[in-house]
């Protein structure tokens, strides 16, 4: 059975800090790994990673995948209070249904 | 691009009522739509996968007769919670995917409260 483990489960930082969120996984047939940000409503898409070692970047957020060691990290630099959210890591293990297996998420709180 | 609209955003109703939730992909055709349920401070739990024109595939433990899914077109899927009871109160979220190389995009969710 596919498995996604995120750490830490929660994190409190001050504005301006840099944070690294971790996601490790077990999978029989890897297709892609995705990161989402969830505030009060439903998740919004951040990154989709399919290849090892290629960093994806969007503003202050970046993410990278290591398919050999089976993990991914999400970095946020110069954090702002608006970054406060639950960050979800999800695994797409292929098959005909493209369904995702989600981790429990990391609750990030950025204090002013 | 890739906007998914979910309606209604909030429903409060009496026990025994059936509730229908709509999920629409606004600017793309969704080959597959997904329905999730999320309890407070928990992650998303997949309930069912829906393909246009065919029967939904339900996850283990999800009652097909309780949670009716209809995917009548490439842009619309509906979830009907039949004879809802307080234990069905939850946050229901849909997502849609255009093809296997694209990420799932989520609707804003429906908060269902059964009194």
């Amino acid at each position: 059975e596919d498995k996604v483990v995120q750490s830490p489960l929660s994190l409190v930082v001050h504005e301006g800090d840099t944070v690294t969120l971790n996601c490790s996984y077990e999978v029989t047939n890897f297709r892609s790994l995705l990161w989402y940000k969830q505030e009060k409503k439903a998740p919004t898409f951040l990154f989709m990673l399919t290849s090892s070692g290629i960093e994806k970047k969007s503003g202050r957020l970046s993410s990278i995948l290591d398919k050999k060691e089976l993990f991914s990290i999400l970095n946020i630099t110069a954090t702002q209070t608006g970054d406060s959210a639950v960050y979800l890591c999800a695994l797409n293990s292929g098959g005909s249904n493209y369904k995702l297996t989600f981790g429990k998420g990391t609750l990030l709180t950025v204090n002013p | 691009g890739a906007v998914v609209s979910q309606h209604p955003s909030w429903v409060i109703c009496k026990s025994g009522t059936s509730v229908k939730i709509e999920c629409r992909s606004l600017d793309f055709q969704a080959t597959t739509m997904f329905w999730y349920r999320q309890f407070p401070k928990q992650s998303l739990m997949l309930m069912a996968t829906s393909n246009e024109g065919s029967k939904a595939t339900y996850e283990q433990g999800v009652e097909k007769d309780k949670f009716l899914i209809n995917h009548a077109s490439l842009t619309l899927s509906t979830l009907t919670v039949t004879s809802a009871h307080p234990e069905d109160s939850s946050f229901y979220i849909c997502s849609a995917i255009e093809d296997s190389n694209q990420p799932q995009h989520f609707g804003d969710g429906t908060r269902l409260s059964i009194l």
Side-chain angles (χ1 to χ4, degrees):
Chain A
E1 188 179 321
D2 299 338
K3 193 175 173 184
V4 178
V5 178
Q6 290 186 245
S7 64
L9 291 181
S10 66
L11 187 57
V12 180
V13 299
H14 290 291
E15 267 192 317
D17 288 351
T18 292
V19 297
T20 298
L21 309 183
N22 303 294
C23 176
S24 63
Y25 62 90
E26 295 174 16
V27 66
T28 49
N29 181 27
F30 179 89
R31 190 181 190 99
S32 60
L33 184 144
L34 297 92
W35 284 95
Y36 288 88
K37 176 183 181 182
Q38 185 174 25
E39 296 173 88
K40 291 185 178 176
K41 292 188 175 180
T44 53
F45 171 71
L46 295 175
F47 298 111
M48 183 165 76
L49 303 159
T50 54
S51 302
S52 267
I54 299 174
E55 185 184 50
K56 293 224 171 175
K57 200 169 169 65
S58 176
R60 296 176 293 103
L61 277 68
S62 63
S63 183
I64 198 161
L65 174 69
D66 186 327
K67 289 168 75 172
K68 184 180 175 186
E69 300 297 328
L70 306 183
F71 76 90
S72 173
I73 60 172
L74 175 68
N75 273 326
I76 308 175
T77 59
T79 52
Q80 301 171 358
T81 55
D83 295 327
S84 297
V86 174
Y87 290 84
L88 295 166
C89 175
L91 186 67
N92 181 345
S93 55
S96 59
N97 278 336
Y98 322 127
K99 67 180 187 181
L100 296 177
T101 301
F102 281 88
K104 291 186 176 180
T106 294
L107 172 61
L108 174 66
T109 303
V110 181
N111 290 324
Chain B
V3 177
V4 176
S5 171
Q6 190 171 340
H7 178 81
S9 56
W10 204 334
V11 180
I12 302 174
C13 57
K14 293 181 181 178
S15 188
T17 308
S18 290
V19 178
K20 182 188 277 189
I21 303 169
E22 287 189 353
C23 180
R24 294 180 186 271
S25 56
L26 297 186
D27 52 359
F28 66 99
Q29 293 191 323
T31 54
T32 307
M33 288 184 168
F34 304 85
W35 288 96
Y36 294 85
R37 184 172 179 174
Q38 188 176 33
F39 291 105
K41 299 188 179 180
Q42 304 268 323
S43 193
L44 281 73
M45 296 297 293
L46 181 66
M47 298 174 66
T49 303
S50 166
N51 291 295
E52 184 263 340
S54 61
K55 288 185 181 178
T57 302
Y58 289 81
E59 295 299 300
Q60 195 170 6
V62 178
E63 297 176 59
K64 299 178 185 182
D65 296 331
K66 175 76 173 175
F67 299 101
L68 299 178
I69 291 172
N70 184 287
H71 194 157
S73 76
L74 282 171
T75 58
L76 173 63
S77 177
T78 60
L79 168 69
T80 301
V81 183
T82 61
S83 188
H85 289 94
E87 58 266 28
D88 298 322
S89 299
S90 190
F91 190 49
Y92 292 87
I93 311 172
C94 74
S95 71
I97 191 168
E98 187 171 9
D99 61 56
S100 60
N101 296 317
Q102 301 298 323
Q104 286 185 27
H105 291 279
F106 288 83
D108 279 343
T110 297
R111 198 160 298 282
L112 177 62
S113 297
I114 308 297
L115 304 176

